[in-house]
Amino acid sequence: MHLSLNAKGRPKAIATFSLLLINLGLMGCSELLYRQTCVGLAKDMRYCLAPLPHDFGPATDKPLTKPQANNPKIQGNSQQGDSKAGVSSPQSFSQKVSIKVGDNTHELLTQLELEGERMTLVGLAPLGQALFTLVYDGNTLSSEQSLLLGDEFKAEYLMAMMQLIYWPEQSIKSHLEGGELVTGLCDTIPCRQFYSQDTLISRSDSQTQVIQIRYQQQTDDALWQAHINLTMPQAKFELEIQPI
């Protein structure tokens, strides 16, 4: 399954789901929905949710200091790096999340849980009201969410962003279509940068950056302990994650 949005629709969809997340003190009934597992990030560029990796440590906890880009020979093989799907031991992380769309800023609390082949993301309003519970089992994505969130809440985007931030680089590259991931330093800070494929053909200085993710962490910190800043300039969207 994939999400079909035009170029103008993507920034609007991202902004809309962000504003709906926490504008209200959400309470009351919820509904269970099955979501798409591929999301559009830019024109002709999309990311499909990847299975949980067997081990996050060696692939993601090392400092992102050496610039690396996609290997074209690997790009088309979506199963590369997924032979050992499922985390080796259960992991759970509490986070404070700040979402900024244009001039509007909102906050929520999240709990990210990884167990076996299952990825669960629970969202709470600052006062503790339940917003959503997202579950991805490696094949399907379900969203149990407040009815007040409505149809504009795009759970697949939130899960995709979590994977773009934390998943091993090779797993991301194998599930990224029409784009390129480059890792290195951004103003001395470890970062991941995503570019759409059409702007990489000429390798010009005016390449369009779709997403930038910065990791502020101490030398010995694991990636999960990093302060995360994700920006999507075209959508005027910014996501900050602070471990609790």
Side-chain angles (χ1 to χ4, degrees):
M1 296 184 290
H2 66 276
L3 181 65
S4 177
L5 289 173
N6 57 35
K8 290 184 178 180
R10 287 188 196 96
K12 181 179 179 181
I14 294 171
T16 302
F17 104 77
S18 304
L19 290 172
L20 286 172
L21 274 177
I22 37 186
N23 250 358
L24 302 172
L26 299 177
M27 299 181 68
C29 299
S30 63
E31 58 182 342
L32 178 64
L33 302 172
Y34 287 92
R35 294 296 189 176
Q36 303 175 77
T37 56
C38 293
V39 300
L41 301 175
K43 181 181 179 181
D44 300 324
M45 176 182 174
R46 71 173 189 168
Y47 175 76
C48 296
L49 295 180
L52 271 67
H54 181 68
D55 192 349
F56 283 90
T60 59
D61 288 354
K62 61 184 179 182
L64 305 174
T65 54
K66 295 182 179 180
Q68 300 176 3
N70 280 350
N71 185 338
K73 295 181 181 180
I74 298 176
Q75 179 71 19
N77 185 0
S78 63
Q79 299 302 317
Q80 183 82 12
D82 293 332
S83 58
K84 293 185 177 181
V87 294
S88 56
S89 60
Q91 302 180 55
S92 180
F93 309 95
S94 298
Q95 303 163 318
K96 179 180 178 181
V97 176
S98 175
I99 297 174
K100 183 177 182 181
V101 184
D103 296 327
N104 298 307
T105 302
H106 310 279
E107 293 184 348
L108 70 154
L109 303 175
T110 62
Q111 181 79 12
L112 179 62
E113 298 179 353
L114 309 172
E115 182 174 4
E117 299 180 8
R118 183 182 296 267
M119 173 185 182
T120 303
L121 182 65
V122 178
L124 302 174
L127 295 180
Q129 299 97 327
L131 295 173
F132 56 81
T133 298
L134 314 179
V135 179
Y136 177 62
D137 63 6
N139 294 297
T140 60
L141 172 63
S142 63
S143 172
E144 183 176 359
Q145 61 192 58
S146 168
L147 288 173
L148 295 178
L149 282 174
D151 295 334
E152 294 298 326
F153 173 63
K154 304 298 183 182
E156 55 267 41
Y157 272 99
L158 198 54
M159 290 296 254
M161 290 178 190
M162 287 295 179
Q163 289 200 1
L164 293 178
I165 292 170
Y166 295 115
W167 258 228
E169 294 169 29
Q170 191 53 61
S171 176
I172 293 174
K173 292 175 181 179
S174 298
H175 292 79
L176 181 65
E177 302 176 9
E180 184 170 10
L181 164 61
V182 178
T183 63
L185 295 177
C186 299
D187 300 324
T188 72
I189 297 175
C191 69
R192 289 177 175 177
Q193 300 179 85
F194 294 82
Y195 297 91
S196 59
Q197 198 66 51
D198 57 349
T199 64
L200 291 166
I201 297 176
S202 62
R203 290 287 180 178
S204 66
D205 293 334
S206 58
Q207 295 173 2
T208 301
Q209 184 184 93
V210 178
I211 300 174
Q212 182 184 95
I213 305 172
R214 296 189 177 211
Y215 303 81
Q216 299 184 43
Q217 60 191 119
Q218 301 298 320
T219 303
D220 297 330
D221 282 351
L223 186 63
W224 303 102
Q225 297 173 286
H227 183 112
I228 306 296
N229 178 265
L230 180 151
T231 56
M232 299 183 70
Q234 293 177 314
K236 297 182 180 179
F237 175 87
E238 182 175 350
L239 174 71
E240 287 195 22
I241 299 176
Q242 181 177 343
I244 299 176

